[in-house]
Amino acid sequence: MKMKFTALVAAGMVAAAPAMADLVIPNLSYRTGPYAAGGTPYADGFNDYFTLLNERDGGIGGEKVQVPECETAYNTEKGVECYEATKGNGALVYNPLSTGITYQLIPKVSADHISLYTPGYGRTSAANGKVFEWVFNYPANYWDGASVAITYLLEQNGGSLEGKKIALVYHNSAYGKEPIRTLTDLAKKHGFELTEIPVDHPGQEQKSQWLQIRREKPDYVLMWGWGVMNQVAVQEAANIKFPMENFIGIWWSGSENDVVPAGDGANGYKSLAMHGTGMDYPVYTDMKKYVLDAGKASGAGDQVGSVLYSRGMYAAMVIAEAARKAQEIAGTPAINATQMRDGFENLEITEARMVELGLPNFGQPFAATCADHGGPGAAMVQQWDATTKKWTLVTGFIAPDMEVLDPLVAEDSAAYAKEAGITERCN
Amino acid sequence: MPEQLLYATEVMLNGLMAGVMYSLVALGFVLIFKASGIFNYAQGVLALFAALTLVGLQNGQVPFAHMINAVFGTHVAEFGWQLPAVVAIALTALVMVGLAVLIEKLVLKHLVSQAPIILFMATIGLAYFLEGLGDVMWGADIKKLDVGLPQGISETIESVTDSLFGYGFFIDNLDIVATVVAVVLVSALTIFSQYSKQGRALRAVADDHQAALSVGISLRFIWVLVWSIAGFVALVAGIMWGTKSGVQFSLSLIALKALPVLMLGGFTSIPGAIVGGLIIGVGEKLFDFFVGPMIGGATENWFAYMLALIFLVFRPQGLFGEKIIERV
């Protein structure tokens, strides 16, 4: 009896653990809790892309990809638990979709030698590969986003923001506070007045904040929100009749979720976008054939083509390309975490490659180096049309102001290097 | 009137309105605690579940569609109907009554005579179960709730105050509706508990379980009744908050806004829930207006609890709660 039980347990463990030759890419997702509406489509896009590679191509370089999912509920402690629970299964890279979890994982992945990929979120100064050997956040980060928003406003105002008032409504968390430093420096450079307006988690009640905006009448409002904070902010802006075309959110405040609840009131609201969206890309022909119609879609399969689904798919595409690069460098398809890091650090995504992947003009080309883990940082501006219920891109890719950002990244990463006792590399 | 005073008045009025929204959530807690001594941790989730059900029924969404499709390989999603808001609200109220019956039969019945902490823990379990059930039934995506409630600035108030003071006040139409609804709800609950047979039975159970049982009042019926009413109150709160932010899982967190209201107003008083809500609403908004800019803002969440704590120190039973005297 005892032996039978042991055999059963052993069989169960074998079934539960990924086959040793597989590429293991854990998906630290959140499909429950207050941020589920954002976490679910992202996780679906992430999973579906790897399912596509497995079903159509037999994986990456002939190696199947395992994507074990672990629920974090956007909770930092749970995120760390997920990391600890999955890292022993040969995990190659983590993408936790949470700045809070990212901050906790940076020292852990550095010690465990596993890559952390945080596109468009996380610790901005991780763009400095000289200090953050195991962290990558290309193609864009929060400070890029802040700078792109200001560059866009400069374009809208004939190159000058002198005397303009800009309010930043932000989630009162590590994530929401990220752009403050950049915006403060940009305010000095361009002569605009910056007002910081924090909103506590979860952001269901924002009357005080929007009464303040109504009183102070800023020319523009920027938003760093997530979850219900976005929907309430868009609704409150409509309530006070703030001109929606002067209200711009970061890319995490620019999904369909954020504007649909406000109905017509959200018309004209803008947000940054670091990639394309919608299903007008050739990749969806194969996605339909091998994943959706085959009944292998992640979740309910009802998020395909949405902004956050596209972002999850984009993150998976970059990881897959990094794995391909790693296989090429290592000369073997069965790569380990250290080799995966080499793939990330030597990754080059060209437009020609994006066309091959069925994603023409979907994202910006970039090439990582030992020192540059952050990419070019460009972003587009999209605008919501409440009638057609669609986002429309109103600009091409706008480059951030690296003259302001580079010193900030250098300063912040140097402070981290000192604190963590890291000697700069790539020299 | 000086500009600063005008702004403060506007903030205060909006605080009163916000307080009403908090009170709507707090009422559900009070009803259940008053009748059964249970602190219902699941009250916020009840509001979420009610709002999810309302949107699902109104839009003809097939419940458990994802599960059905996964098991049977089908592609069902919608029934194809769009119900009038009144019908959808009535059907959701019936669902909440059904839920109350199930909660009594499957949970509470088995916990009669248990310590309050056991009942409290049961409601924690219930909260997580209902949240999961809501997810499986209706999905985790954000849903627009439209039952025809007006939203946005009240033009009348804005123009009247503008002509009077030279500054148009902002008052949200939705908040005005919420205030009217709260007044009607509290009046109805008061009339029900004072003048109906069931209401008197409910008060008798609240006063003394054993004595109520000895005169033939069915405790199980009273529990179903009170959970049904609390479910209906949760539906009202879910409609108001869901209209504001869309129906999504963070809706369950509105319970956090009700806790300081309960601490301040008392766990056993319906008027206490209203007055407590108003004090918290006004207090947090004025504090944020006057002090917030000096300390970096975002004071509302913690200040509400601090205010409640201050009241608690001087009146542990809350402003309107019953004083607990235990003789030994």
Side-chain angles (χ1 to χ4, degrees):
Chain A
M1 182 68 193
K2 216 175 204 176
M3 271 184 65
K4 270 185 188 170
F5 178 74
T6 314
L8 269 173
V9 170
M13 283 171 74
V14 169
M20 286 313 284
D22 288 343
L23 304 176
V24 181
I25 301 170
N27 184 359
L28 269 52
S29 63
Y30 39 98
R31 295 176 183 273
T32 64
Y35 298 94
T40 301
Y42 189 92
D44 286 351
F46 193 80
N47 288 343
D48 282 354
Y49 190 77
F50 286 118
T51 306
L52 170 67
L53 297 185
N54 282 339
E55 296 300 314
R56 186 189 61 190
D57 310 335
I60 302 170
E63 291 291 314
K64 287 270 186 186
V65 184
Q66 293 271 348
V67 191
E69 205 164 335
C70 186
E71 173 69 33
T72 70
Y74 195 62
N75 177 298
T76 301
E77 289 79 25
K78 281 191 191 171
V80 173
E81 280 172 26
C82 278
Y83 170 79
E84 295 294 347
T86 53
K87 71 176 185 185
N89 295 335
L92 296 176
V93 56
Y94 283 88
N95 166 35
L97 190 58
S98 155
T99 296
I101 297 173
T102 298
Y103 268 74
Q104 292 303 312
L105 291 191
I106 286 174
K108 289 180 180 290
V109 296
S110 304
D112 296 335
H113 291 185
I114 301 173
S115 295
L116 186 61
Y117 180 51
T118 62
Y121 68 93
R123 184 171 188 140
T124 296
S125 62
N128 185 0
K130 291 178 185 176
V131 172
F132 295 92
E133 187 179 353
W134 294 90
V135 191
F136 301 83
N137 59 9
Y138 41 67
N141 56 54
Y142 295 133
W143 294 355
D144 293 326
S147 174
V148 166
I150 297 302
T151 306
Y152 172 68
L153 294 181
L154 280 165
E155 283 172 11
Q156 297 287 298
N157 287 276
S160 171
L161 289 172
E162 195 70 44
K164 297 280 182 193
K165 287 160 85 172
I166 299 178
L168 170 70
V169 177
Y170 65 94
H171 195 272
N172 197 18
S173 62
Y175 151 61
K177 289 174 183 170
E178 276 277 330
I180 293 175
R181 205 164 167 191
T182 313
L183 288 172
T184 306
D185 279 20
L186 287 166
K188 279 183 206 150
K189 182 175 177 178
H190 298 292
F192 63 84
E193 186 188 323
L194 178 70
T195 309
E196 297 158 25
I197 305 179
V199 175
D200 268 337
H201 159 85
Q204 209 125 29
E205 169 60 32
Q206 296 178 34
K207 200 66 85 190
S208 296
Q209 287 82 359
W210 288 92
L211 283 177
Q212 184 183 345
I213 287 169
R214 187 168 179 267
R215 287 193 301 270
E216 295 181 3
K217 297 185 179 62
D219 297 289
Y220 297 98
V221 173
L222 302 181
M223 174 160 72
W224 251 248
W226 188 227
V228 69
M229 177 188 155
N230 289 340
Q231 294 91 52
V232 173
V234 171
Q235 181 64 60
E236 293 288 4
N239 287 350
I240 67 162
K241 294 182 186 166
F242 187 82
M244 296 306 274
E245 65 277 11
N246 293 347
F247 185 14
I248 305 172
I250 181 67
W251 39 71
W252 299 112
S253 302
S255 77
E256 295 82 356
N257 286 337
D258 304 325
V259 281
V260 167
D264 291 343
N267 193 48
Y269 169 73
K270 290 174 182 168
S271 91
L272 300 181
M274 58 176 185
H275 54 75
T277 201
M279 291 182 71
D280 297 331
Y281 294 95
V283 72
Y284 281 108
T285 309
D286 282 351
M287 188 70 91
K288 207 167 173 311
K289 183 177 169 188
Y290 292 99
V291 183
L292 308 176
D293 291 350
K296 292 184 168 138
S298 175
D302 56 355
Q303 303 287 332
V304 183
S306 68
V307 170
L308 291 169
Y309 180 95
S310 304
R311 193 160 307 149
M313 186 177 76
Y314 181 60
M317 182 276 288
V318 172
I319 289 171
E321 290 304 295
R324 255 185 250 283
K325 188 73 189 175
Q327 289 172 335
E328 183 192 316
I329 296 168
T332 170
I335 49 170
N336 60 30
T338 307
Q339 290 162 333
M340 182 73 184
R341 197 209 69 84
D342 294 341
F344 271 109
E345 196 157 275
N346 291 284
L347 180 62
E348 183 178 4
I349 300 275
T350 61
E351 180 54 29
R353 180 60 186 152
M354 293 293 279
V355 171
E356 281 173 22
L357 294 171
L359 289 163
N361 298 313
F362 185 83
Q364 57 197 299
F366 64 87
T369 65
C370 176
D372 180 8
H373 288 192
M380 302 174 279
V381 177
Q382 60 180 8
Q383 187 166 30
W384 179 248
D385 183 337
T387 314
T388 58
K389 292 198 167 113
K390 279 193 172 158
W391 289 103
T392 309
L393 291 169
V394 293
T395 70
F397 276 107
I398 299 171
D401 182 352
M402 298 315 282
E403 190 185 296
V404 171
L405 298 188
D406 280 344
L408 288 175
V409 168
E411 188 191 332
D412 194 69
S413 53
Y416 180 79
K418 194 177 169 192
E419 182 190 311
I422 294 169
T423 310
E424 281 199 359
R425 56 192 200 107
C426 315
N427 296 315
Chain B
M1 221 190 275
E3 210 173 47
Q4 194 70 357
L5 185 60
L6 280 174
Y7 292 158
T9 311
E10 183 190 36
V11 166
M12 192 191 74
L13 288 172
N14 277 277
L16 284 171
M17 300 287 183
V20 171
M21 296 284 275
Y22 303 160
S23 298
L24 281 175
V25 188
L27 269 177
F29 282 96
V30 169
L31 285 167
I32 290 179
F33 190 84
K34 198 172 160 62
S36 56
I38 301 173
F39 178 79
N40 180 23
Y41 184 85
Q43 190 62 32
V45 182
L46 278 182
L48 165 69
F49 187 81
L52 282 171
T53 306
L54 172 60
V55 178
L57 290 174
Q58 193 179 12
N59 298 337
Q61 198 186 334
V62 177
F64 302 107
H66 181 200
M67 194 191 280
I68 293 167
N69 293 339
V71 174
F72 300 106
T74 51
H75 293 283
V76 297
E78 287 176 358
F79 290 115
W81 71 56
Q82 184 72 31
L83 291 178
V86 180
V87 178
I89 290 170
L91 287 174
T92 309
L94 282 177
V95 170
M96 298 311 285
V97 172
L99 187 65
V101 173
L102 284 176
I103 290 171
E104 194 282 328
K105 274 195 185 307
L106 301 176
V107 183
L108 300 177
K109 187 176 88 174
H110 306 285
L111 298 175
V112 175
S113 308
Q114 293 294 327
I117 188 68
I118 304 292
L119 291 160
F120 171 64
M121 285 193 286
T123 66
I124 293 178
L126 189 63
Y128 283 99
F129 171 74
L130 281 178
E131 199 166 315
L133 181 69
D135 189 356
V136 176
M137 268 181 93
W138 305 111
D141 53 318
I142 298 176
K143 297 159 181 71
K144 180 171 170 54
L145 175 58
D146 186 5
V147 292
L149 297 181
Q151 274 204 92
I153 189 167
S154 163
E155 309 274 357
T156 316
I157 293 174
E158 189 188 28
S159 64
V160 168
T161 48
D162 193 33
S163 59
L164 283 174
F165 311 116
Y167 173 74
F169 284 1
F170 173 86
I171 300 288
D172 192 341
N173 280 315
L174 182 67
D175 289 343
I176 297 172
V177 173
T179 306
V180 173
V181 168
V183 170
V184 172
L185 200 59
V186 170
S187 307
L189 285 173
T190 309
I191 292 168
F192 172 78
S193 70
Q194 295 293 332
Y195 302 108
S196 74
K197 187 182 165 192
Q198 287 79 9
R200 281 195 294 270
L202 202 146
R203 284 193 292 140
V205 171
D207 277 349
D208 191 328
H209 279 195
Q210 298 298 330
L213 282 171
S214 70
V215 295
I217 294 171
S218 162
L219 188 61
R220 290 183 58 187
F221 171 73
I222 291 298
W223 275 5
V224 169
L225 180 69
V226 80
W227 277 78
S228 300
I229 298 170
F232 181 72
V233 172
L235 171 60
V236 173
I239 290 172
M240 295 302 162
W241 284 92
T243 302
K244 202 172 169 174
S245 63
V247 177
Q248 53 184 302
F249 279 73
S250 59
L251 204 62
S252 63
L253 299 180
I254 56 175
L256 295 175
K257 284 286 180 188
L259 284 182
V261 173
L262 293 167
M263 287 159 69
L264 199 148
F267 280 78
T268 54
S269 167
I270 290 172
I274 299 293
V275 176
L278 297 180
I279 294 174
I280 291 286
V282 172
E284 66 176 23
K285 294 283 182 289
L286 283 178
F287 185 82
D288 198 67
F289 176 72
F290 286 114
V291 186
M294 290 181 248
I295 55 174
T299 62
E300 289 180 40
N301 275 7
W302 61 264
F303 180 76
Y305 282 88
M306 197 184 83
L307 189 63
L309 201 60
I310 292 168
F311 274 84
L312 212 57
V313 169
F314 295 100
R315 271 190 74 85
Q317 70 274 35
L319 277 180
F320 295 83
E322 290 155 14
K323 194 163 187 176
I324 304 152
I325 302 168
E326 288 189 17
R327 293 187 175 84
V328 287

